[in-house]
Amino acid sequence: MTEPAPSKKRIAVIPGDGIGKEVIPQAVNVIQATGATVELTEFDWGADRYLRDRTTVPADGFAMLGRDFDAILVGAFGDPRVPTNIHAKQILLGMRFQMDLYANVRPVRLLDAALCPLKGIEPKDIDFVVIRENTEGVYTDAGGVFKQGTPDEIATQEDINTRKGVERIIRYAFEYCERHKKLDGSPRKQVLMCDKSNAMTHAGGLWQRVFKEVSREYPQIMAQHMYVDALCMQMVRDPRQFDVIVTNNMFGDIITDLAAGLQGGLGMAASGNIHPGKTSMFEPVHGSAPPIAGKNVANPVGAILTAAMMLGHLGMTREAEKIEAAVLEAVRQKKATQDIGGSLGTREAGEWVANFVGRE
Ligand code: ATP
């Protein structure tokens, strides 16, 4: 009897600008080396395209991605030739907002003790995930400037927090905690909500009330709270205490860079922009890094781990685990770029991982 053909997952690939154009081809090679049943389609959205024909997102672009693809793999956007950064805003923020990718999920794992700037920390000590609200907060661009350029100038930046938005991200964090295990196979047990409700009482009050309510539905999960300033200090003093952290858009943005520092820098960090049941987008945490672009020095690990996260999200757990194991080996053996102690270029580091994945 023949097995039914596995359905091919359709993945849109948008390398974008700068080092995105260097690291994403490596991530794609690694995906292909797993033998995953995927169909990859590349799009040229980014600064080059914008400078050529002024297109940021082609008409119907987001609808097309949602309709024709199961996931999107993105590199980075930002190019000194486009000082307004308009293409980056329209593509990246457009995707997050218009496709309603409300959960920004950033796993924080230490692959090698040598990569952590903290003393006495082992890889098993850093294995947590930050779940950042991705569609609200202070990043909605609500507000304005009044009497600009005068001594009486006033600038306001509104912090938007809807009941719906807060509830769905907190619920996502509990669901994530329930469904995901730690790297060592043990279950995740704790969701910690991070805010600044002592100073930002209105928005913080809503987060507090909703967190209490939703946590009652998950009595088996420990619900904890920390103010964001205390959390920053604790993350540096003792990162072992964290498991799943849920927070708003701005605090999430900040604490995930701190967390990336604990795992060896921006070149190591992966992320997903997720709306359960809809086409979701996966991108390395780093930006386009113009100073190092085009030099074959960018670390491809963040992009490769992002590809693994995407395959895991699409149900290809075996392929995702293969990639993670290969990356772990590359980091341990220093078959890697200079920022993490190796001596390979972007291409060579990517090829090493792809060869390791494809060995069997
Ligand atoms: P954005 O605002 O677009 O997120 P950013 O200004 O915060 O970007 P990046 O573009 O990510 O920052 O990079 C900042 C610096 O970090 C780079 O100039 C580079 O030195 C380092 N860096 C970032 N990503 C990598 C990488 N993949 N490999 C090596 N170094 C990196």
Side-chain angles (χ1 to χ4, degrees), residues 86-119:
I86 178 154
H87 69 298
K89 281 183 203 143
Q90 292 195 2
I91 298 169
L92 217 48
L93 296 184
M95 249 183 242
R96 288 186 186 164
F97 286 102
Q98 293 192 36
M99 299 178 79
D100 201 24
L101 305 176
Y102 68 87
N104 186 273
V105 179
R106 295 194 181 186
V108 184
R109 289 166 175 170
L110 179 62
L111 300 186
D112 190 87
L115 296 179
C116 184
L118 306 181
K119 279 182 252 157

PDB file of all heavy atoms in Angstrom, residues 86-119:
ATOM      1  N   ILE A  86      11.129  53.855   4.297  1.00  0.00           N
ATOM      2  CA  ILE A  86       9.694  53.667   4.017  1.00  0.00           C
ATOM      3  C   ILE A  86       9.367  52.233   3.591  1.00  0.00           C
ATOM      4  O   ILE A  86       8.352  51.665   3.991  1.00  0.00           O
ATOM      5  CB  ILE A  86       9.182  54.681   2.969  1.00  0.00           C
ATOM      6  CG1 ILE A  86       7.707  54.402   2.689  1.00  0.00           C
ATOM      7  CG2 ILE A  86       9.982  54.652   1.683  1.00  0.00           C
ATOM      8  CD1 ILE A  86       6.944  55.568   2.220  1.00  0.00           C
ATOM      9  N   HIS A  87      10.278  51.648   2.795  1.00  0.00           N
ATOM     10  CA  HIS A  87       9.991  50.288   2.311  1.00  0.00           C
ATOM     11  C   HIS A  87       9.980  49.297   3.481  1.00  0.00           C
ATOM     12  O   HIS A  87       9.137  48.416   3.550  1.00  0.00           O
ATOM     13  CB  HIS A  87      11.010  49.865   1.241  1.00  0.00           C
ATOM     14  CG  HIS A  87      12.391  49.658   1.768  1.00  0.00           C
ATOM     15  ND1 HIS A  87      13.122  50.677   2.354  1.00  0.00           N
ATOM     16  CD2 HIS A  87      13.181  48.560   1.845  1.00  0.00           C
ATOM     17  CE1 HIS A  87      14.287  50.207   2.759  1.00  0.00           C
ATOM     18  NE2 HIS A  87      14.351  48.911   2.451  1.00  0.00           N
ATOM     19  N   ALA A  88      10.919  49.516   4.435  1.00  0.00           N
ATOM     20  CA  ALA A  88      10.985  48.611   5.580  1.00  0.00           C
ATOM     21  C   ALA A  88       9.707  48.707   6.399  1.00  0.00           C
ATOM     22  O   ALA A  88       9.115  47.694   6.781  1.00  0.00           O
ATOM     23  CB  ALA A  88      12.193  48.954   6.442  1.00  0.00           C
ATOM     24  N   LYS A  89       9.275  49.954   6.636  1.00  0.00           N
ATOM     25  CA  LYS A  89       8.059  50.148   7.432  1.00  0.00           C
ATOM     26  C   LYS A  89       6.874  49.502   6.744  1.00  0.00           C
ATOM     27  O   LYS A  89       6.082  48.792   7.358  1.00  0.00           O
ATOM     28  CB  LYS A  89       7.774  51.647   7.607  1.00  0.00           C
ATOM     29  CG  LYS A  89       8.651  52.268   8.677  1.00  0.00           C
ATOM     30  CD  LYS A  89       8.285  53.744   8.890  1.00  0.00           C
ATOM     31  CE  LYS A  89       9.461  54.474   9.495  1.00  0.00           C
ATOM     32  NZ  LYS A  89       9.616  55.832   9.005  1.00  0.00           N
ATOM     33  N   GLN A  90       6.768  49.770   5.423  1.00  0.00           N
ATOM     34  CA  GLN A  90       5.574  49.266   4.739  1.00  0.00           C
ATOM     35  C   GLN A  90       5.573  47.744   4.634  1.00  0.00           C
ATOM     36  O   GLN A  90       4.528  47.117   4.735  1.00  0.00           O
ATOM     37  CB  GLN A  90       5.435  49.921   3.370  1.00  0.00           C
ATOM     38  CG  GLN A  90       5.102  51.394   3.540  1.00  0.00           C
ATOM     39  CD  GLN A  90       4.597  52.045   2.268  1.00  0.00           C
ATOM     40  OE1 GLN A  90       4.451  51.392   1.231  1.00  0.00           O
ATOM     41  NE2 GLN A  90       4.346  53.327   2.324  1.00  0.00           N
ATOM     42  N   ILE A  91       6.731  47.156   4.441  1.00  0.00           N
ATOM     43  CA  ILE A  91       6.761  45.696   4.273  1.00  0.00           C
ATOM     44  C   ILE A  91       6.617  45.009   5.632  1.00  0.00           C
ATOM     45  O   ILE A  91       5.701  44.201   5.842  1.00  0.00           O
ATOM     46  CB  ILE A  91       8.057  45.240   3.569  1.00  0.00           C
ATOM     47  CG1 ILE A  91       8.147  45.838   2.163  1.00  0.00           C
ATOM     48  CG2 ILE A  91       8.099  43.709   3.493  1.00  0.00           C
ATOM     49  CD1 ILE A  91       9.500  45.661   1.480  1.00  0.00           C
ATOM     50  N   LEU A  92       7.490  45.355   6.568  1.00  0.00           N
ATOM     51  CA  LEU A  92       7.553  44.618   7.836  1.00  0.00           C
ATOM     52  C   LEU A  92       6.385  44.958   8.758  1.00  0.00           C
ATOM     53  O   LEU A  92       5.666  44.071   9.230  1.00  0.00           O
ATOM     54  CB  LEU A  92       8.881  44.969   8.523  1.00  0.00           C
ATOM     55  CG  LEU A  92       9.576  43.853   9.261  1.00  0.00           C
ATOM     56  CD1 LEU A  92       9.664  42.597   8.414  1.00  0.00           C
ATOM     57  CD2 LEU A  92      10.992  44.309   9.637  1.00  0.00           C
ATOM     58  N   LEU A  93       6.193  46.270   8.983  1.00  0.00           N
ATOM     59  CA  LEU A  93       5.082  46.641   9.858  1.00  0.00           C
ATOM     60  C   LEU A  93       3.758  46.314   9.175  1.00  0.00           C
ATOM     61  O   LEU A  93       2.804  45.898   9.817  1.00  0.00           O
ATOM     62  CB  LEU A  93       5.151  48.125  10.236  1.00  0.00           C
ATOM     63  CG  LEU A  93       6.371  48.508  11.069  1.00  0.00           C
ATOM     64  CD1 LEU A  93       6.326  49.975  11.487  1.00  0.00           C
ATOM     65  CD2 LEU A  93       6.508  47.622  12.310  1.00  0.00           C
ATOM     66  N   GLY A  94       3.731  46.469   7.834  1.00  0.00           N
ATOM     67  CA  GLY A  94       2.521  46.122   7.076  1.00  0.00           C
ATOM     68  C   GLY A  94       2.151  44.672   7.301  1.00  0.00           C
ATOM     69  O   GLY A  94       0.997  44.320   7.551  1.00  0.00           O
ATOM     70  N   MET A  95       3.157  43.794   7.225  1.00  0.00           N
ATOM     71  CA  MET A  95       2.893  42.365   7.431  1.00  0.00           C
ATOM     72  C   MET A  95       2.358  42.119   8.835  1.00  0.00           C
ATOM     73  O   MET A  95       1.361  41.455   9.030  1.00  0.00           O
ATOM     74  CB  MET A  95       4.198  41.582   7.269  1.00  0.00           C
ATOM     75  CG  MET A  95       4.222  40.718   6.037  1.00  0.00           C
ATOM     76  SD  MET A  95       5.765  39.805   6.032  1.00  0.00           S
ATOM     77  CE  MET A  95       6.473  40.429   4.562  1.00  0.00           C
ATOM     78  N   ARG A  96       3.055  42.698   9.836  1.00  0.00           N
ATOM     79  CA  ARG A  96       2.635  42.471  11.220  1.00  0.00           C
ATOM     80  C   ARG A  96       1.223  42.988  11.464  1.00  0.00           C
ATOM     81  O   ARG A  96       0.409  42.304  12.065  1.00  0.00           O
ATOM     82  CB  ARG A  96       3.598  43.180  12.180  1.00  0.00           C
ATOM     83  CG  ARG A  96       4.929  42.496  12.253  1.00  0.00           C
ATOM     84  CD  ARG A  96       5.799  43.136  13.310  1.00  0.00           C
ATOM     85  NE  ARG A  96       7.141  42.561  13.262  1.00  0.00           N
ATOM     86  CZ  ARG A  96       8.212  43.113  13.833  1.00  0.00           C
ATOM     87  NH1 ARG A  96       8.092  44.240  14.480  1.00  0.00           N
ATOM     88  NH2 ARG A  96       9.380  42.531  13.766  1.00  0.00           N
ATOM     89  N   PHE A  97       0.947  44.212  10.992  1.00  0.00           N
ATOM     90  CA  PHE A  97      -0.350  44.820  11.296  1.00  0.00           C
ATOM     91  C   PHE A  97      -1.453  44.291  10.373  1.00  0.00           C
ATOM     92  O   PHE A  97      -2.483  43.854  10.838  1.00  0.00           O
ATOM     93  CB  PHE A  97      -0.267  46.352  11.199  1.00  0.00           C
ATOM     94  CG  PHE A  97       0.479  46.967  12.359  1.00  0.00           C
ATOM     95  CD1 PHE A  97       1.789  47.386  12.235  1.00  0.00           C
ATOM     96  CD2 PHE A  97      -0.139  47.118  13.595  1.00  0.00           C
ATOM     97  CE1 PHE A  97       2.468  47.955  13.311  1.00  0.00           C
ATOM     98  CE2 PHE A  97       0.535  47.675  14.684  1.00  0.00           C
ATOM     99  CZ  PHE A  97       1.845  48.093  14.539  1.00  0.00           C
ATOM    100  N   GLN A  98      -1.203  44.316   9.044  1.00  0.00           N
ATOM    101  CA  GLN A  98      -2.286  43.947   8.137  1.00  0.00           C
ATOM    102  C   GLN A  98      -2.582  42.457   8.140  1.00  0.00           C
ATOM    103  O   GLN A  98      -3.706  42.039   7.891  1.00  0.00           O
ATOM    104  CB  GLN A  98      -1.969  44.425   6.717  1.00  0.00           C
ATOM    105  CG  GLN A  98      -1.970  45.944   6.649  1.00  0.00           C
ATOM    106  CD  GLN A  98      -1.941  46.448   5.238  1.00  0.00           C
ATOM    107  OE1 GLN A  98      -2.537  45.862   4.342  1.00  0.00           O
ATOM    108  NE2 GLN A  98      -1.234  47.536   5.020  1.00  0.00           N
ATOM    109  N   MET A  99      -1.568  41.634   8.409  1.00  0.00           N
ATOM    110  CA  MET A  99      -1.836  40.196   8.474  1.00  0.00           C
ATOM    111  C   MET A  99      -2.129  39.792   9.914  1.00  0.00           C
ATOM    112  O   MET A  99      -2.325  38.625  10.207  1.00  0.00           O
ATOM    113  CB  MET A  99      -0.647  39.411   7.895  1.00  0.00           C
ATOM    114  CG  MET A  99      -0.394  39.757   6.432  1.00  0.00           C
ATOM    115  SD  MET A  99       1.037  38.898   5.745  1.00  0.00           S
ATOM    116  CE  MET A  99       0.324  37.284   5.434  1.00  0.00           C
ATOM    117  N   ASP A 100      -2.157  40.799  10.792  1.00  0.00           N
ATOM    118  CA  ASP A 100      -2.531  40.610  12.200  1.00  0.00           C
ATOM    119  C   ASP A 100      -1.687  39.525  12.878  1.00  0.00           C
ATOM    120  O   ASP A 100      -2.196  38.654  13.576  1.00  0.00           O
ATOM    121  CB  ASP A 100      -4.035  40.273  12.292  1.00  0.00           C
ATOM    122  CG  ASP A 100      -4.579  40.562  13.689  1.00  0.00           C
ATOM    123  OD1 ASP A 100      -3.992  41.399  14.397  1.00  0.00           O
ATOM    124  OD2 ASP A 100      -5.589  39.945  14.054  1.00  0.00           O
ATOM    125  N   LEU A 101      -0.366  39.625  12.688  1.00  0.00           N
ATOM    126  CA  LEU A 101       0.550  38.633  13.276  1.00  0.00           C
ATOM    127  C   LEU A 101       0.846  39.078  14.710  1.00  0.00           C
ATOM    128  O   LEU A 101       1.857  39.706  14.992  1.00  0.00           O
ATOM    129  CB  LEU A 101       1.821  38.547  12.433  1.00  0.00           C
ATOM    130  CG  LEU A 101       1.573  38.250  10.954  1.00  0.00           C
ATOM    131  CD1 LEU A 101       2.879  38.275  10.172  1.00  0.00           C
ATOM    132  CD2 LEU A 101       0.877  36.905  10.778  1.00  0.00           C
ATOM    133  N   TYR A 102      -0.083  38.755  15.591  1.00  0.00           N
ATOM    134  CA  TYR A 102      -0.071  39.421  16.904  1.00  0.00           C
ATOM    135  C   TYR A 102       0.924  38.858  17.912  1.00  0.00           C
ATOM    136  O   TYR A 102       1.236  39.514  18.904  1.00  0.00           O
ATOM    137  CB  TYR A 102      -1.481  39.437  17.497  1.00  0.00           C
ATOM    138  CG  TYR A 102      -2.054  38.100  17.897  1.00  0.00           C
ATOM    139  CD1 TYR A 102      -1.800  37.565  19.161  1.00  0.00           C
ATOM    140  CD2 TYR A 102      -2.884  37.390  17.037  1.00  0.00           C
ATOM    141  CE1 TYR A 102      -2.340  36.346  19.540  1.00  0.00           C
ATOM    142  CE2 TYR A 102      -3.431  36.187  17.406  1.00  0.00           C
ATOM    143  CZ  TYR A 102      -3.165  35.666  18.656  1.00  0.00           C
ATOM    144  OH  TYR A 102      -3.708  34.467  19.017  1.00  0.00           O
ATOM    145  N   ALA A 103       1.420  37.657  17.683  1.00  0.00           N
ATOM    146  CA  ALA A 103       2.332  37.066  18.671  1.00  0.00           C
ATOM    147  C   ALA A 103       3.757  37.028  18.126  1.00  0.00           C
ATOM    148  O   ALA A 103       4.039  36.312  17.162  1.00  0.00           O
ATOM    149  CB  ALA A 103       1.877  35.666  19.052  1.00  0.00           C
ATOM    150  N   ASN A 104       4.624  37.810  18.720  1.00  0.00           N
ATOM    151  CA  ASN A 104       6.037  37.756  18.344  1.00  0.00           C
ATOM    152  C   ASN A 104       6.723  36.813  19.326  1.00  0.00           C
ATOM    153  O   ASN A 104       6.796  37.105  20.516  1.00  0.00           O
ATOM    154  CB  ASN A 104       6.635  39.157  18.403  1.00  0.00           C
ATOM    155  CG  ASN A 104       8.046  39.190  17.877  1.00  0.00           C
ATOM    156  OD1 ASN A 104       8.990  38.953  18.618  1.00  0.00           O
ATOM    157  ND2 ASN A 104       8.195  39.456  16.604  1.00  0.00           N
ATOM    158  N   VAL A 105       7.188  35.704  18.811  1.00  0.00           N
ATOM    159  CA  VAL A 105       7.723  34.647  19.673  1.00  0.00           C
ATOM    160  C   VAL A 105       9.242  34.576  19.493  1.00  0.00           C
ATOM    161  O   VAL A 105       9.726  34.386  18.375  1.00  0.00           O
ATOM    162  CB  VAL A 105       7.080  33.284  19.307  1.00  0.00           C
ATOM    163  CG1 VAL A 105       7.652  32.166  20.176  1.00  0.00           C
ATOM    164  CG2 VAL A 105       5.566  33.357  19.460  1.00  0.00           C
ATOM    165  N   ARG A 106       9.966  34.772  20.597  1.00  0.00           N
ATOM    166  CA  ARG A 106      11.424  34.775  20.502  1.00  0.00           C
ATOM    167  C   ARG A 106      12.041  33.807  21.506  1.00  0.00           C
ATOM    168  O   ARG A 106      12.181  34.110  22.686  1.00  0.00           O
ATOM    169  CB  ARG A 106      11.957  36.184  20.774  1.00  0.00           C
ATOM    170  CG  ARG A 106      11.499  37.165  19.708  1.00  0.00           C
ATOM    171  CD  ARG A 106      12.288  38.435  19.808  1.00  0.00           C
ATOM    172  NE  ARG A 106      11.838  39.391  18.808  1.00  0.00           N
ATOM    173  CZ  ARG A 106      12.421  40.550  18.583  1.00  0.00           C
ATOM    174  NH1 ARG A 106      13.476  40.904  19.293  1.00  0.00           N
ATOM    175  NH2 ARG A 106      11.962  41.366  17.666  1.00  0.00           N
ATOM    176  N   PRO A 107      12.428  32.630  21.048  1.00  0.00           N
ATOM    177  CA  PRO A 107      13.086  31.684  21.950  1.00  0.00           C
ATOM    178  C   PRO A 107      14.480  32.202  22.305  1.00  0.00           C
ATOM    179  O   PRO A 107      15.181  32.736  21.450  1.00  0.00           O
ATOM    180  CB  PRO A 107      13.197  30.403  21.111  1.00  0.00           C
ATOM    181  CG  PRO A 107      12.385  30.634  19.883  1.00  0.00           C
ATOM    182  CD  PRO A 107      12.272  32.110  19.693  1.00  0.00           C
ATOM    183  N   VAL A 108      14.860  32.051  23.550  1.00  0.00           N
ATOM    184  CA  VAL A 108      16.178  32.484  24.010  1.00  0.00           C
ATOM    185  C   VAL A 108      16.899  31.271  24.587  1.00  0.00           C
ATOM    186  O   VAL A 108      16.512  30.759  25.639  1.00  0.00           O
ATOM    187  CB  VAL A 108      16.061  33.590  25.080  1.00  0.00           C
ATOM    188  CG1 VAL A 108      17.451  34.091  25.480  1.00  0.00           C
ATOM    189  CG2 VAL A 108      15.209  34.743  24.567  1.00  0.00           C
ATOM    190  N   ARG A 109      17.881  30.784  23.858  1.00  0.00           N
ATOM    191  CA  ARG A 109      18.609  29.585  24.276  1.00  0.00           C
ATOM    192  C   ARG A 109      20.097  29.815  24.153  1.00  0.00           C
ATOM    193  O   ARG A 109      20.555  30.413  23.175  1.00  0.00           O
ATOM    194  CB  ARG A 109      18.246  28.410  23.357  1.00  0.00           C
ATOM    195  CG  ARG A 109      16.842  27.932  23.577  1.00  0.00           C
ATOM    196  CD  ARG A 109      16.436  27.036  22.453  1.00  0.00           C
ATOM    197  NE  ARG A 109      15.125  26.476  22.720  1.00  0.00           N
ATOM    198  CZ  ARG A 109      14.408  25.807  21.833  1.00  0.00           C
ATOM    199  NH1 ARG A 109      14.894  25.604  20.618  1.00  0.00           N
ATOM    200  NH2 ARG A 109      13.228  25.327  22.146  1.00  0.00           N
ATOM    201  N   LEU A 110      20.810  29.314  25.117  1.00  0.00           N
ATOM    202  CA  LEU A 110      22.273  29.428  25.073  1.00  0.00           C
ATOM    203  C   LEU A 110      22.822  28.110  24.523  1.00  0.00           C
ATOM    204  O   LEU A 110      22.630  27.053  25.115  1.00  0.00           O
ATOM    205  CB  LEU A 110      22.812  29.693  26.486  1.00  0.00           C
ATOM    206  CG  LEU A 110      24.326  29.807  26.596  1.00  0.00           C
ATOM    207  CD1 LEU A 110      24.862  30.972  25.782  1.00  0.00           C
ATOM    208  CD2 LEU A 110      24.739  29.952  28.062  1.00  0.00           C
ATOM    209  N   LEU A 111      23.486  28.177  23.370  1.00  0.00           N
ATOM    210  CA  LEU A 111      23.983  26.945  22.750  1.00  0.00           C
ATOM    211  C   LEU A 111      25.354  26.549  23.273  1.00  0.00           C
ATOM    212  O   LEU A 111      25.730  25.383  23.223  1.00  0.00           O
ATOM    213  CB  LEU A 111      24.020  27.095  21.223  1.00  0.00           C
ATOM    214  CG  LEU A 111      22.669  27.380  20.554  1.00  0.00           C
ATOM    215  CD1 LEU A 111      22.815  27.360  19.046  1.00  0.00           C
ATOM    216  CD2 LEU A 111      21.608  26.384  20.989  1.00  0.00           C
ATOM    217  N   ASP A 112      26.112  27.548  23.742  1.00  0.00           N
ATOM    218  CA  ASP A 112      27.453  27.234  24.229  1.00  0.00           C
ATOM    219  C   ASP A 112      27.810  28.220  25.342  1.00  0.00           C
ATOM    220  O   ASP A 112      27.615  29.424  25.176  1.00  0.00           O
ATOM    221  CB  ASP A 112      28.441  27.360  23.058  1.00  0.00           C
ATOM    222  CG  ASP A 112      29.802  26.815  23.429  1.00  0.00           C
ATOM    223  OD1 ASP A 112      30.024  25.605  23.265  1.00  0.00           O
ATOM    224  OD2 ASP A 112      30.643  27.603  23.893  1.00  0.00           O
ATOM    225  N   ALA A 113      28.338  27.696  26.458  1.00  0.00           N
ATOM    226  CA  ALA A 113      28.617  28.549  27.622  1.00  0.00           C
ATOM    227  C   ALA A 113      29.528  29.723  27.254  1.00  0.00           C
ATOM    228  O   ALA A 113      29.383  30.824  27.786  1.00  0.00           O
ATOM    229  CB  ALA A 113      29.243  27.723  28.732  1.00  0.00           C
ATOM    230  N   ALA A 114      30.449  29.490  26.305  1.00  0.00           N
ATOM    231  CA  ALA A 114      31.414  30.531  25.937  1.00  0.00           C
ATOM    232  C   ALA A 114      30.733  31.767  25.328  1.00  0.00           C
ATOM    233  O   ALA A 114      31.319  32.852  25.308  1.00  0.00           O
ATOM    234  CB  ALA A 114      32.418  29.960  24.946  1.00  0.00           C
ATOM    235  N   LEU A 115      29.505  31.603  24.842  1.00  0.00           N
ATOM    236  CA  LEU A 115      28.834  32.724  24.175  1.00  0.00           C
ATOM    237  C   LEU A 115      28.138  33.675  25.140  1.00  0.00           C
ATOM    238  O   LEU A 115      27.706  34.754  24.763  1.00  0.00           O
ATOM    239  CB  LEU A 115      27.792  32.196  23.184  1.00  0.00           C
ATOM    240  CG  LEU A 115      28.323  31.377  22.014  1.00  0.00           C
ATOM    241  CD1 LEU A 115      27.181  30.904  21.149  1.00  0.00           C
ATOM    242  CD2 LEU A 115      29.287  32.227  21.203  1.00  0.00           C
ATOM    243  N   CYS A 116      27.997  33.261  26.400  1.00  0.00           N
ATOM    244  CA  CYS A 116      27.245  34.077  27.360  1.00  0.00           C
ATOM    245  C   CYS A 116      28.183  35.002  28.126  1.00  0.00           C
ATOM    246  O   CYS A 116      29.180  34.546  28.684  1.00  0.00           O
ATOM    247  CB  CYS A 116      26.481  33.170  28.321  1.00  0.00           C
ATOM    248  SG  CYS A 116      25.441  34.113  29.440  1.00  0.00           S
ATOM    249  N   PRO A 117      27.858  36.291  28.175  1.00  0.00           N
ATOM    250  CA  PRO A 117      28.740  37.209  28.905  1.00  0.00           C
ATOM    251  C   PRO A 117      28.644  37.054  30.424  1.00  0.00           C
ATOM    252  O   PRO A 117      29.450  37.639  31.146  1.00  0.00           O
ATOM    253  CB  PRO A 117      28.239  38.600  28.466  1.00  0.00           C
ATOM    254  CG  PRO A 117      26.842  38.391  28.000  1.00  0.00           C
ATOM    255  CD  PRO A 117      26.750  36.989  27.493  1.00  0.00           C
ATOM    256  N   LEU A 118      27.688  36.279  30.925  1.00  0.00           N
ATOM    257  CA  LEU A 118      27.557  36.096  32.375  1.00  0.00           C
ATOM    258  C   LEU A 118      28.488  34.991  32.848  1.00  0.00           C
ATOM    259  O   LEU A 118      28.722  34.013  32.134  1.00  0.00           O
ATOM    260  CB  LEU A 118      26.114  35.732  32.752  1.00  0.00           C
ATOM    261  CG  LEU A 118      25.015  36.687  32.265  1.00  0.00           C
ATOM    262  CD1 LEU A 118      23.658  36.192  32.752  1.00  0.00           C
ATOM    263  CD2 LEU A 118      25.267  38.099  32.751  1.00  0.00           C
ATOM    264  N   LYS A 119      28.948  35.150  34.106  1.00  0.00           N
ATOM    265  CA  LYS A 119      29.847  34.136  34.667  1.00  0.00           C
ATOM    266  C   LYS A 119      29.048  32.943  35.188  1.00  0.00           C
ATOM    267  O   LYS A 119      27.955  33.105  35.726  1.00  0.00           O
ATOM    268  CB  LYS A 119      30.625  34.743  35.842  1.00  0.00           C
ATOM    269  CG  LYS A 119      31.820  35.562  35.414  1.00  0.00           C
ATOM    270  CD  LYS A 119      32.558  36.074  36.633  1.00  0.00           C
ATOM    271  CE  LYS A 119      32.329  37.578  36.772  1.00  0.00           C
ATOM    272  NZ  LYS A 119      32.480  38.155  38.044  1.00  0.00           N
TER     273      LYS A 119
END
